[in-house]
Amino acid sequence: MSEATAAGSSVGQYSRDFEEATYAKVAKRLIPFLFICYVVAFLDRVNVSFAKLQMAGDLKFSDTVYSFGAGVFFIGYFIFEVPSNVILERVGAKMWIARIMITWGIISSAFMFVHQVSWGGLAVSLGYTDAELTFYVLRFLLGAAEAGFFPGIILYLTYWWPASRRARITAMFMTAIAISNVVGSPVSGAIMQYMDGWNGWRGWQWLFLIEGIPSVIIGVLVIVLLDNGPKHAKWLSEPEKDLLERRLQEAEREKAAHGQRHSFTDAFRDGRVWAFALVYFCGVVGFYAVNFWLPTIVQELGIDKKDFLKVGLVSMIPWGVAAISMVVVGSHSDRTGERRWHAAGSLLVGALGMIAVAVIPKGHAVLSVAALTLVTAGILSWVATFWSLPTAFLSGTAAAAGIAWINSVGNLGGHFGPELIGHIRKATGANEFAFYTLALMAIIGAAIILAMPKTSNPGSRGGKAAE
């Protein structure tokens, strides 16, 4: 029997087996590569958390200098996020994602020279050392270069999968956040510990160089391997392309029946977009506060300050559990069609972990790692299901602008979260009050999700609301 016969005619009903096989084929082709892209992207974003263990002492960076530099990334990210995603929607995913990856890989590697740039009197007039100002500038540029990558990928997924299938797919893609830390933590620790002194360079310099190069290489591969959508995929048969296009068109019709937002300005006139941006801010504050400080917190559990590899191995534990939990939660959300409680409940689990981090006394390393694991598992499970909510009512240019706006405003939390911990550590010498504050933010985010009216989830089982 021919493929077309098995599938049904181009205007007829496709068999369930053919549909599942088609989506499996698409997932097998796209998700592993997008996963690798995000692994190297996220590694370049947060490897500064490991570099800090050695770099801060070398360059005399205080906790507040480090936390501001870690967070200023998100200022550049915020400014350029929406324009970047709108450009991607207009020029196509392939070339724009490649541009993003190549530029951020170059900038990330440039951090190895952070202490070798002279600003003359400018740094002094601003109250910084040359190294501090260079650190801030490069972090800002890294954020500007990476702006649009994550929301661009979220938008790109909408070109292939309807909403009913997207939570699991998003979770599979976003396990890269956890895996980048599972793999990156021991690798970063090993680079700093065993390459320190090679060619006269410190371990943190090698870290930035080695972990920046893959982004450039993979950025070039994006041009070769990525397609802008089903219509351009030569590896799909005509019936497979037709199936994918039909399912997306059906989802768009259901969006239209439930108040779809399509134009650029529609995204900013919809109060749900602003509410989701606030929710994302609340969750991201906690996520990046923990992410940028986790190696330092782990080191302070009693690990020798020169044993960077051990810090990396212990840091693997929370991220490894989070990788599993986000796929399990995302898959369950797809099977049930329920979104709001999955997202809100995951945030509350993260909040519980933050409270546990604050109350567990020093010296209880196992309990502290367990609490940090609750934080990472909860926050990452939340973000895996969260994006099914706004994409349920946004489409077209509104999807590009709305997703980017939610992500850019929300990611400002990545600036305030690390700074919060840095300032509180400087003032009190401890983390407790910071984690109570982070837990409160997560609880507020969960409450907003549950207080919002149910959002239509086009393409879900029976087209029901995302409850």
Side-chain angles (χ1 to χ4, degrees):
M1 182 182 293
S2 70
E3 183 179 46
T5 303
S9 69
S10 62
V11 294
Q13 182 66 40
Y14 292 94
S15 72
R16 182 174 181 82
D17 288 345
F18 177 77
E19 182 166 346
E20 293 303 319
T22 299
Y23 278 109
K25 182 178 181 179
V26 174
K28 184 177 180 180
R29 170 80 181 206
L30 296 182
I31 295 302
F33 183 63
L34 294 176
F35 176 89
I36 293 171
C37 289
Y38 202 33
V39 165
V40 298
F42 206 80
L43 192 58
D44 283 346
R45 182 186 298 188
V46 302
N47 59 7
V48 69
S49 64
F50 264 91
K52 180 257 183 189
L53 300 178
Q54 189 183 66
M55 180 176 68
D58 286 357
L59 306 184
K60 297 180 173 55
F61 286 177
S62 67
D63 281 350
T64 51
V65 168
Y66 165 71
S67 60
F68 180 78
V72 80
F73 168 97
F74 296 98
I75 303 300
Y77 201 83
F78 171 78
I79 294 171
F80 294 98
E81 184 88 328
V82 172
S84 180
N85 220 35
V86 172
I87 292 172
L88 181 148
E89 199 249 346
R90 292 180 177 175
V91 306
K94 179 162 62 175
M95 295 306 297
W96 197 246
I97 290 174
R99 191 284 305 164
I100 290 173
M101 295 193 67
I102 292 169
T103 53
W104 94 51
I106 293 170
I107 294 170
S108 182
S109 293
F111 274 84
M112 66 183 296
F113 303 115
V114 71
H115 60 307
Q116 296 179 344
V117 177
S118 175
W119 294 91
L122 178 60
V124 175
S125 66
L126 295 173
Y128 305 135
T129 66
D130 285 333
E132 288 170 355
L133 182 56
T134 305
F135 182 52
Y136 297 156
V137 169
L138 286 177
R139 287 294 294 177
F140 176 87
L141 292 176
L142 188 65
E146 191 180 327
F149 177 76
F150 173 74
I153 296 297
I154 294 296
L155 178 65
Y156 185 67
L157 296 179
T158 70
Y159 298 165
W160 298 86
W161 285 274
S164 62
R165 296 176 177 270
R166 224 158 34 231
R168 183 177 64 87
I169 290 297
T170 302
M172 291 171 62
F173 160 66
M174 292 188 65
T175 54
I177 297 176
I179 297 303
S180 68
N181 283 283
V182 171
V183 175
S185 293
V187 169
S188 297
I191 290 172
M192 289 178 59
Q193 186 164 332
Y194 297 114
M195 296 197 68
D196 188 36
W198 284 30
N199 197 42
W201 293 346
R202 294 286 277 156
W204 61 267
Q205 292 178 279
W206 281 110
L207 174 67
F208 285 123
L209 176 62
I210 292 173
E211 293 186 354
I213 291 173
S215 295
V216 178
I217 295 172
I218 294 174
V220 174
L221 291 178
V222 165
I223 301 173
V224 178
L225 300 177
L226 210 60
D227 298 292
N228 286 326
K231 292 180 180 178
H232 305 280
K234 295 180 180 179
W235 44 274
L236 289 173
S237 68
E238 290 305 316
E240 289 169 338
K241 292 180 183 179
D242 183 69
L243 166 67
L244 297 174
E245 293 292 340
R246 283 167 59 87
R247 293 296 177 259
L248 293 172
Q249 290 167 6
E250 289 167 3
E252 289 300 303
R253 286 194 293 270
E254 291 189 32
K255 287 183 183 181
H258 294 278
Q260 166 188 308
R261 297 294 184 265
H262 183 81
S263 72
F264 182 89
T265 55
D266 279 340
F268 299 98
R269 287 199 297 260
D270 194 315
R272 292 172 294 182
V273 170
W274 294 89
F276 281 129
L278 180 57
V279 171
Y280 205 57
F281 178 89
C282 290
V284 167
V285 164
F287 173 68
Y288 281 111
V290 173
N291 205 308
F292 283 124
W293 284 97
L294 184 62
T296 299
I297 294 171
V298 167
Q299 188 183 62
E300 292 174 350
L301 295 177
I303 297 175
D304 185 278
K305 290 190 178 298
K306 293 184 178 180
D307 196 346
F308 301 119
L309 178 58
K310 188 173 183 179
V311 172
L313 292 172
V314 174
S315 298
M316 287 174 61
I317 298 171
W319 299 114
V321 174
I324 298 170
S325 69
M326 67 192 302
V327 172
V328 170
V329 173
S331 297
H332 188 268
S333 178
D334 271 352
R335 286 197 304 272
T336 61
E338 200 287 320
R339 307 302 191 193
R340 293 163 72 243
W341 278 103
H342 281 79
S346 296
L347 263 185
L348 293 175
V349 170
L352 179 63
M354 293 168 190
I355 294 171
V357 171
V359 300
I360 293 173
K362 286 185 177 181
H364 292 73
V366 174
L367 289 178
S368 295
V369 172
L372 289 168
T373 300
L374 273 182
V375 177
T376 57
I379 295 293
L380 287 187
S381 296
W382 156 72
V383 85
T385 51
F386 169 83
W387 286 106
S388 295
L389 294 169
T391 54
F393 64 89
L394 294 169
S395 65
T397 303
I403 291 169
W405 183 247
I406 292 168
N407 192 61
S408 59
V409 172
N411 269 297
L412 285 176
H415 175 71
F416 293 108
E419 274 222 274
L420 175 69
I421 289 187
H423 284 295
I424 290 176
R425 281 171 60 91
K426 181 179 180 180
T428 67
N431 302 314
E432 287 83 352
F433 182 73
F435 277 94
Y436 285 130
T437 305
L438 298 176
L440 177 61
M441 295 292 291
I443 292 169
I444 291 171
I448 294 172
I449 292 174
L450 296 177
M452 291 178 66
K454 293 178 181 179
T455 302
S456 167
N457 188 11
S460 66
R461 311 297 186 258
K464 65 185 179 180
E467 297 175 347

